[in-house]
Amino acid sequence: MSSGKFEKMEKDFSSEVDALLAQIEQSIKAGQITEALEALLSMEKQTRSAADLASTTRILVHAVIVCYTAKDWKRLNETVVLLSKKHGQLKQAVTKMVQQAMEYLDCTPDQETMLALLDTLRTVTEGKIYLEVERAHLTRRLSKVKEDEGKISEAADILQELQVETFGSMEKREKTEFILEQMRLCLLNKDYIRTLIISRKINPSFFKIPENEDLKLRFYNLMVDHALHENEYLNICKYYREIYSTKAVESDETDRKTVLEKILIFIILAPYDHEQSDLLHRIMEDKHLSSCELYHQLAKTFTQHEIMRWPMIETHYGPQLVNTDIFKTGTQDGLKRWEALHSRVIEHNIRVIAKYYTRITISRLTELLDLSSESTEEFLSNLVVSKTVFARIDRPSGVVSFVPPRDSPTVLTEWTHDVNKLLGLIEQTTHLIAKEEMVHKIAQAM
């Protein structure tokens, strides 16, 4: 009942309903639609009052069928609303009636009629927990209609009305599909902040179930699209690694190679930090790297403590890289990522120089980096600010120092450690000398 309590059936109207439905069939054939509906409504009042769920359900469903058979779409809408508003109407009966009416959405003669029926069903299901799944299906369909009309913003707003993660009667897989559709429309609408918020409604552990692998691919591809807009290269690499770990990609050599190439490129493009360095070294242990040799060689250069000259990188790797979607020539995004690659090469070279040099002239540093003095100072300053390297520039003398200053306690501690170490070596040497002398004396005595 509408109160949410179960009531005991007072009377079974099954035989009366059977007779009535047989009579209704004759009325329909005779074209007496109004009389048939009046008879159904009269019987519906009795079955509802007696809490006869089975008979009430049959009547409500048959009332919808009668309207559909007559192709009277206006009356169908009115009948659905009327029956759903009856006092004390049985929830299960309303659910069956709505489900029956939903089957006719694909049978409407035109778009206007379909939208009218869709609007009626959405009105009936609004605010009813027991119809939340049906409302979700209707809302998704309306959103699809708006999307097909090119109204992406309106379609996204319609779909976001529902918080399906709170629906207790909806299966987890269906919830995830609905949330993925919300994410897709938000991306089409260029609402990237909302996309990220919605994505957090999905628990990644859900994708560990093998049956959900198709949803996993959809989710991480959407996350890649979001991260590409935000230039979050490290996250893109992580998302592609999740895609790479699926059976569908692992079993297809072409897809596996393509995804692995993107993993290598985006881990290179990611700004250097401990997480990026650790992930790069773990990726380099992949047994399938031999299938993408050029990308493997490029990534390997970032793990070696050797300077990479940018002209050499352009000559050796440029022709193939600029033909990929990531560095596509003539596109703004492709140019931006190519500049990011140049920056990563320069930053790598500065880290290598800081490892081998204590002091270096600015002129020599610019020569090694193939940059102007202004650009060299800018890159060096950025790495100092991010605490990737330590450096101090002496502009009057034109020298860069990579040795951090040490305070008195640090110097004194190091000196004490060195002295203790020296004394330990002296003591050990004295002991060895004394041992040799004793051995020598014993040998002479014998």
Side-chain angles (χ1 to χ4, degrees), residues 50-217:
D52 186 352
L53 175 60
S55 298
T56 304
T57 301
R58 292 174 64 192
I59 291 174
L60 264 59
V61 170
H62 211 76
V64 173
I65 294 174
V66 168
C67 295
Y68 170 71
T69 304
K71 301 300 179 184
D72 192 339
W73 299 101
K74 182 179 180 181
R75 180 171 289 182
L76 173 59
N77 293 332
E78 294 172 351
T79 301
V80 170
V81 174
L82 176 64
L83 291 173
S84 66
K85 289 184 176 181
K86 292 289 185 179
H87 177 69
Q89 188 59 275
L90 303 176
K91 295 179 180 179
Q92 295 93 327
V94 175
T95 301
K96 292 294 183 181
M97 177 185 67
V98 170
Q99 291 173 350
Q100 183 66 38
M102 287 173 62
E103 295 181 6
Y104 301 142
L105 286 170
D106 293 325
C107 305
T108 50
D110 51 50
Q111 183 87 337
E112 184 179 355
T113 305
M114 189 271 289
L115 288 175
L117 178 57
L118 192 59
D119 183 62
T120 298
L121 294 174
R122 275 173 44 83
T123 301
V124 169
T125 57
E126 185 176 4
K128 296 182 176 66
I129 296 178
Y130 59 93
L131 288 171
E132 59 187 9
V133 175
E134 286 73 19
R135 180 168 178 79
H137 294 164
L138 294 166
T139 302
R140 187 169 179 178
R141 175 148 190 163
L142 179 60
S143 175
K144 184 66 170 62
V145 171
K146 296 299 181 182
E147 183 185 357
D148 293 340
E149 293 176 353
K151 301 176 181 177
I152 304 299
S153 179
E154 189 174 345
D157 291 339
I158 290 172
L159 207 61
Q160 290 165 29
E161 291 176 2
L162 301 181
Q163 307 299 323
V164 293
E165 64 275 9
T166 64
F167 289 6
S169 55
M170 182 180 284
E171 293 183 359
K172 197 167 185 179
R173 179 180 174 86
E174 190 174 0
K175 287 182 185 180
T176 305
E177 289 177 343
F178 199 96
I179 293 173
L180 290 176
E181 189 67 12
Q182 289 178 328
M183 290 175 60
R184 185 184 67 82
L185 285 175
C186 283
L187 284 174
L188 287 177
N189 197 34
K190 298 183 179 180
D191 191 348
Y192 299 102
I193 295 177
R194 192 177 297 275
T195 301
L196 185 60
I197 294 173
I198 294 174
S199 70
R200 291 172 179 168
K201 296 178 181 180
I202 299 178
N203 190 340
S205 62
F206 173 74
F207 299 125
K208 294 180 180 179
I209 303 173
E211 291 76 13
N212 299 326
E213 190 172 275
D214 58 327
L215 299 182
K216 178 180 180 180
L217 290 172

Side-chain angles (χ1 to χ4, degrees), residues 350 353-354 357-363 365-366 376-377 380 384 389-395 397-403:
I350 292 176
I353 292 170
Y357 284 81
T358 56
R359 301 173 76 239
I360 188 174
T361 62
I362 295 178
S363 59
L365 185 59
T366 57
T376 299
E377 186 173 332
L380 185 60
V384 171
V389 299
F390 177 89
R392 290 292 184 267
I393 302 176
D394 185 352
R395 283 196 178 91
S397 59
V399 175
V400 178
S401 174
F402 293 108
V403 180

